[in-house]
Amino acid sequence: MLEIERKFLVRSLAFKALAFNSSRIKQGYLNSDVERTTRIRVRDQEAFITVKGKSSENGMSRFEWEKQIEISEAESLLILCEPGIIDKSRFLVDVDGHTFEVDVFYGENEGLLLAEIELNSENENFTKPNWLGEEVTGNNKYYNSYLSKHPYLHW
């Protein structure tokens, strides 16, 4: 399956008042190679294994495969993950028919706020809310796999 998304820094916490859902996420990487990543994620009471391919040249699209697994399996696999577990809260915010996923990071990535929007095509139009900041689509240092090895607090 092809994933098309754009990523932005977030300039304020104004999105929180607009969120229709939030969840806590803990994730680690069995493989964080830029060509292919394998991620284990626990989100509230659900768990997933995800494989992502290399991003396109502009960073907007890449292959993604995901499968739900048992939480006990995910917890066992998290032990095998590379160092640098990502801990964050994700807020879902609807803006004119599109859903932004806004991540608030904790631990060594504290202070980083990122928003992603999934699109049906790379040229799809969408409304940019005033709390959205600079676009960082395609900038590898804002990928969770990069943040797990090079935390935001050490930049």
Side-chain angles (χ1 to χ4, degrees), residues 2-154:
L2 187 65
E3 171 189 57
I4 301 170
E5 68 181 15
R6 292 176 65 181
K7 190 176 286 206
F8 299 85
L9 295 176
V10 175
R11 53 172 125 229
S12 80
L13 296 176
F15 69 87
K16 281 189 172 184
L18 306 170
F20 65 86
N21 191 9
S22 67
S23 56
R24 189 71 179 246
I25 295 173
K26 186 169 135 179
Q27 70 187 39
Y29 291 86
L30 292 170
N31 177 22
S32 60
D33 185 286
V34 67
E35 298 283 326
R36 70 202 65 75
T37 61
T38 304
R39 174 185 77 201
I40 304 300
R41 172 181 281 174
V42 176
R43 182 182 68 218
D44 294 334
Q45 298 305 307
E46 297 180 308
F48 303 87
I49 183 168
T50 306
V51 177
K52 292 189 178 197
K54 184 178 180 180
S55 292
S56 61
E57 194 170 309
N58 64 10
M60 280 192 224
S61 52
R62 63 182 166 170
F63 171 85
E64 179 182 79
W65 175 87
E66 185 169 79
K67 180 173 176 56
Q68 189 164 2
I69 60 176
E70 297 294 322
I71 288 182
S72 60
E73 294 172 324
E75 289 171 348
S76 295
L77 289 169
L78 281 170
I79 295 168
L80 298 176
C81 285
E82 299 170 351
I85 299 296
I86 297 288
D87 184 16
K88 62 187 179 180
S89 286
R90 171 163 289 167
F91 296 84
L92 302 181
V93 182
D94 182 57
V95 178
D96 292 337
H98 285 96
T99 300
F100 284 86
E101 297 177 340
V102 184
D103 290 341
V104 176
F105 290 83
Y106 305 112
E108 289 194 281
N109 289 299
E110 182 91 32
L112 182 60
L113 304 172
L114 287 175
E116 293 180 357
I117 182 172
E118 289 198 18
L119 303 169
N120 294 314
S121 75
E122 290 188 5
N123 299 319
E124 185 176 345
N125 291 321
F126 61 93
T127 301
K128 294 180 182 174
N130 60 3
W131 43 263
L132 213 58
E134 174 189 350
E135 183 165 5
V136 294
T137 301
N139 186 335
N140 291 348
K141 78 180 197 177
Y142 292 102
Y143 286 4
N144 285 297
S145 56
Y146 182 90
L147 292 169
S148 69
K149 290 183 171 17
H150 310 281
Y152 181 69
L153 288 179
H154 301 289

